[in-house]
Amino acid sequence: MAILLVSTCLLILVVQCVLCLISKKYLVALYAVCYSVPFLGLVSSLWADTVTLWPIGDYSFYLDDQFVFRLSLVWFLGVVGGLTAYLLALLVPAGNTSPRRDAFFSPMDFKLAGLLFLSVSVFFVLFRLINVEAMLEMFAGVEAVVVFSIIAVTAMVFAYPSWYMLTLATLLVVAYSVANAMTGDRDFVVLVVAYVLGLMYRYSHLIKFKTLLCVAAFMALILSSGVVVSMVRMDVDLTSDNIEQFFLFNSWNAIILPLVQQLTSFWDGEHLRYGQTYLDMFLSLAPSPIYTAFGVVKPITLDNPAYWYFITGMGGIHAAGVAFENFGLFGVFLNGFISVCFLRFVDSRWRDKDFLQLFLYMLCAASIMHSVWYGEISMLNAMVFYVLSLGLFFAMKLVRVLK
């Protein structure tokens, strides 16, 4: 039965990715791939008697183990939920994609705010390049703000093209990637993904099959860079065997391990939290100093959004694990369904010169991997940044009007 489920999951993944690429819904394709990557250890069940989810510890299972069926069922329900949402979205009539002629904000409002985003980005990138070892202790707390600020700058350049600004934005992305890699972090991957997908979204009418192949090759190169950076950070020798091991078993695989414990120990429903984890996520969206000022403990910390279910040395947990912890198997299906519904809404057809639409798209592109692998609070933080940015744009509008 487990083999049948795994085969079906692979088929659904391929079908959904093909449909998304044909319809140019790249956000949904990225989500489908990221959702399934941690489960790919189950694929070995198609030709072997055991599956290995993690080489360290007791994480190898025979095919007749009850756990293999449970994990396969969770994967199946998640991808079926996503595919169901995608197919239902095809029944919804396409909206009006004509340019907005009566937009509340003007391009000048965005460009004035863009100067602030650019200043923040340049300051922290230069700080990282100059102070590789002595990194600000608080920098980790604003890492997402820097990434989102760079995204705001690049989205502005894509929406209002200028060769000079496009060169500047590209150099900013490259500089951040170098500075980030020098300190042993891999967050530059999400920024590059957002940059590439934003560019593809903006110029979707120019994307052909050969372009997709080039993008796939580039993404593979970026992924490889992230693997190498993680190995260097942990002082692992860059031998062929070690590189192969890190490609097959990395942090994006390790986040399945909390789910292993959940499906082993809490299958009968005694674990259900009925949405408490999601409530904690919403209650954790305010900046940390606010909680400190009132002497309140933040429900979910920024450094470890999966703190409510934590395995030492493993900082993440798959979105399916969060859903299962709250609503069981039905929650797993619902999580995939709602996630794709939201991304399908964001991934609507590009409206010419609609910066806000492109900005939201790129924020989601940068947050998908973190939200699927380390907690949905990453996506929620991106939405909070978007709303705060609207306030900044409004302030810029007032400044211009009151002049």
Side-chain angles (χ1 to χ4, degrees):
M1 187 62 179
I3 295 178
L4 176 61
L5 287 175
V6 171
S7 302
T8 305
C9 290
L10 285 175
L11 178 61
I12 292 175
L13 175 62
V14 171
V15 169
Q16 185 163 0
C17 286
V18 170
L19 290 175
C20 290
L21 293 179
I22 292 174
S23 60
K24 300 182 179 181
K25 303 303 178 187
Y26 306 120
L27 277 188
V28 180
L30 177 63
Y31 172 83
V33 172
C34 291
Y35 190 95
S36 294
V37 161
F39 292 97
L40 292 182
L42 292 170
V43 175
S44 59
S45 65
L46 301 180
W47 62 79
D49 294 330
T50 60
V51 295
T52 301
L53 299 178
W54 191 253
I56 303 173
D58 188 20
Y59 293 107
S60 294
F61 304 89
Y62 287 100
L63 298 188
D64 56 355
D65 286 345
Q66 191 178 47
F67 166 78
V68 176
F69 167 75
R70 292 177 178 178
L71 188 60
S72 303
L73 181 60
V74 168
W75 185 16
F76 173 77
L77 290 173
V79 294
V80 166
L83 182 61
T84 302
Y86 182 84
L87 295 177
L88 289 178
L90 297 178
L91 303 177
V92 179
N96 182 15
T97 58
S98 60
R100 293 182 178 179
R101 302 183 182 277
D102 56 347
F104 179 77
F105 296 111
S106 72
M108 187 55 64
D109 300 328
F110 301 138
K111 292 176 181 179
L112 289 175
L115 294 176
L116 178 60
F117 289 130
L118 181 62
S119 301
V120 171
S121 305
V122 170
F123 171 78
F124 282 102
V125 169
L126 288 178
F127 183 86
R128 271 206 160 191
L129 287 171
I130 296 172
N131 299 273
V132 178
E133 300 298 332
M135 186 176 67
L136 280 173
E137 183 178 349
M138 53 83 66
F139 191 81
V142 298
E143 187 80 52
V145 174
V146 178
V147 172
F148 294 157
S149 296
I150 297 176
I151 287 175
V153 174
T154 54
M156 211 165 297
V157 173
F158 292 163
Y160 309 107
S162 163
W163 283 112
Y164 170 76
M165 290 303 298
L166 178 60
T167 302
L168 179 61
T170 303
L171 289 176
L172 185 60
V173 172
V174 173
Y176 175 83
S177 300
V178 172
N180 192 257
M182 287 171 63
T183 55
D185 293 331
R186 297 174 296 172
D187 284 334
F188 69 90
V189 174
V190 300
L191 177 59
V192 175
V193 168
Y195 181 89
V196 172
L197 289 188
L199 196 60
M200 293 173 64
Y201 181 64
R202 171 65 177 84
Y203 298 101
S204 60
H205 59 286
L206 301 177
I207 302 299
K208 307 299 180 184
F209 180 71
K210 290 182 179 179
T211 308
L212 290 176
L213 291 179
C214 293
V215 170
F218 180 72
M219 290 297 191
L221 177 62
I222 294 299
L223 177 63
S224 303
S225 301
V227 172
V228 172
V229 168
S230 67
M231 294 177 67
V232 172
R233 179 179 59 184
M234 291 184 282
D235 296 323
V236 178
D237 294 333
L238 297 177
T239 64
S240 58
D241 290 340
N242 286 340
I243 292 176
E244 180 183 2
Q245 184 84 336
F246 267 72
F247 263 103
L248 295 176
F249 302 103
N250 212 299
S251 58
W252 47 74
N253 305 95
I255 55 100
I256 203 72
L257 301 187
L259 185 57
V260 173
Q261 290 194 1
Q262 289 172 289
L263 297 180
T264 302
S265 305
F266 308 116
W267 180 255
D268 296 327
E270 66 276 14
H271 63 288
L272 297 181
R273 299 183 182 221
Y274 301 105
Q276 180 62 48
T277 302
Y278 296 106
L279 178 61
D280 288 344
M281 288 181 184
F282 282 104
L283 294 177
S284 301
L285 291 178
S288 296
I290 294 179
Y291 299 89
T292 303
F294 289 95
V296 178
V297 178
K298 198 171 186 177
I300 297 179
T301 62
L302 180 65
D303 292 336
N304 181 17
Y307 186 71
W308 55 272
Y309 198 96
F310 182 57
I311 294 179
T312 303
M314 304 299 173
I317 183 171
H318 195 279
V322 182
F324 181 80
E325 186 77 8
N326 284 275
F327 301 108
L329 293 177
F330 176 71
V332 175
F333 173 87
L334 198 61
N335 178 269
F337 182 87
I338 293 176
S339 297
V340 172
C341 282
F342 171 71
L343 294 176
R344 183 64 178 78
F345 169 76
V346 173
D347 202 349
S348 56
R349 185 174 300 179
W350 161 252
R351 290 187 292 265
D352 189 35
K353 296 187 181 302
D354 193 339
F355 162 74
L356 291 178
Q357 182 187 13
L358 182 58
F359 184 30
L360 178 61
Y361 181 95
M362 293 182 68
L363 285 176
C364 291
S367 305
I368 286 177
M369 284 183 282
H370 281 162
S371 63
V372 174
W373 295 342
Y374 300 104
E376 285 93 341
I377 193 172
S378 299
M379 185 67 74
L380 292 176
N381 284 331
M383 297 303 99
V384 170
F385 185 87
Y386 184 78
V387 172
L388 293 177
S389 297
L390 293 178
L392 178 60
F393 302 146
F394 182 72
M396 294 298 103
K397 183 179 181 67
L398 287 180
V399 168
R400 286 196 312 105
V401 171
L402 296 177
K403 264 191 173 182

